[in-house]
Amino acid sequence: MKKSVNQVLSKPLLIVFLLILFLTLLAGPLFVPFDPLHTDMTNRLQPVSFQHLLGTDHLGRDIFSRLLTGARATVGTAFAAIFISICLGVPIGLISGFFGGKLDRITMRLIDAVMAFPEYIVAIVLSGLLGPGLMNLILAVVTVKWVSYARLVRSTVFSEKQRDYIALAKLAGLKPLSILKKHLTPHILGHVSVLMTLDIGKTVLMIAALSYIGLGAQPPYPEWGAMLNEGRTYFLNAPLLMIVPGLAIMLIVFISNLYGDLLRDRFDVKNKKGVS
């Protein structure tokens, strides 16, 4: 089964899908057929048609236009949160794992403290304290996500620095910064890539869930989780209001998990736990 999945993922179809996804995030809102914020009560809850490819919602807004625009709010926010988490967690993990000592003990206790609670609970509490909005949502997600990258990188560096080539590099007079940059950083790239890819789906789910309960993007701005919430009341009469954003979220999570498995097999990355 794993081999067949990898064969599917290795095909150009996946590359095409990823290309479409990035084009949708970057340029999709520029080519939407209708203003995603424009309301028209005379066209509310319209079915699928040539004019409205996915119908209209309870306020007469074009669902297809809102779906494309909402991709930037949901997936774009997830990418932003993961990027910031990597920029924060990777250097902390590198420094902690390489130098060890008191700094490493303090870092690990901080990481353990954050990871002692479920990610969703911490994100909900922080989002509630900071207030609704995408910027506050990014901050809440970064707070719970950076620790995973720091712990993974720290574990990898802690293992690699025991090897002979690191000892030889030190004997050759290389400075710690050069050793981190030339010898250790290449070893963590595969691990970070795998975790990042798997995190895309998880982060999209988290952002959509928080927006669903009103802690993310605020109306009338379209966001997939918020669109799910808006469509609850009309599910029996207009199921596409929930089905469309729900399928979009599911597709992103599905591709993220499959592609993450492919990268894990390709880089031969095994699950690691940080050494306390």
Side-chain angles (χ1 to χ4, degrees), residues 24-102:
T24 300
L25 292 176
L26 295 175
L30 301 177
F31 299 98
V32 293
F34 297 93
D35 183 355
L37 304 181
H38 177 70
T39 60
D40 183 4
M41 298 303 292
T42 60
N43 285 323
R44 65 190 304 267
L45 300 178
Q46 292 293 314
V48 174
S49 64
F50 287 108
Q51 184 178 10
H52 300 286
L53 298 179
L54 296 175
T56 61
D57 65 6
H58 60 293
L59 295 177
R61 298 172 297 193
D62 183 66
I63 297 178
F64 180 71
S65 300
R66 290 180 63 79
L67 183 72
L68 289 181
T69 307
R72 179 174 292 181
T74 305
V75 185
T77 300
F79 278 124
I82 292 174
F83 177 76
I84 297 174
S85 298
I86 292 174
C87 292
L88 183 63
V90 170
I92 292 176
L94 280 170
I95 295 172
S96 176
F98 184 76
F99 293 102
K102 186 176 181 179

Side-chain angles (χ1 to χ4, degrees), residues 3 58 63 122 163 217 234 268:
K3 184 177 181 180
H58 60 293
I63 297 178
V122 177
R163 298 182 180 274
Y234 308 93
D268 193 26

Side-chain angles (χ1 to χ4, degrees), residues 202-249:
K202 296 177 182 178
T203 308
V204 166
L205 273 178
M206 181 179 292
I207 290 171
L210 293 174
S211 295
Y212 181 84
I213 61 178
L215 295 176
Q218 297 300 294
Y221 192 79
E223 191 279 332
W224 291 350
M227 290 172 66
L228 280 172
N229 185 35
E230 292 176 351
R232 284 185 307 141
T233 308
Y234 308 93
F235 181 71
L236 294 179
N237 296 327
L240 282 181
L241 292 182
M242 293 192 72
I243 291 176
V244 169
L247 286 177
I249 295 171

Side-chain angles (χ1 to χ4, degrees), residues 121-181:
I121 300 299
V122 177
I124 289 174
V125 171
L126 289 176
S127 297
L129 292 174
L130 295 172
L134 288 180
M135 294 303 299
N136 291 338
L137 184 57
I138 291 176
L139 181 59
V141 173
V142 169
T143 302
V144 299
K145 285 295 182 183
W146 73 270
V147 294
S148 300
Y149 295 93
R151 190 177 179 90
L152 175 66
V153 171
R154 184 258 183 191
S155 175
T156 305
V157 172
F158 194 89
S159 175
E160 289 295 326
K161 76 174 185 179
Q162 311 297 331
R163 298 182 180 274
D164 293 339
Y165 72 92
I166 297 297
L168 291 175
K170 291 180 180 179
L171 290 175
L174 285 181
K175 296 181 179 180
L177 184 60
S178 298
I179 295 176
L180 287 172
K181 181 179 179 181

Side-chain angles (χ1 to χ4, degrees), residues 13-32:
L13 181 62
L14 179 63
I15 299 177
V16 172
F17 173 81
L18 294 175
L19 181 61
I20 292 175
L21 175 61
F22 281 109
L23 289 177
T24 300
L25 292 176
L26 295 175
L30 301 177
F31 299 98
V32 293

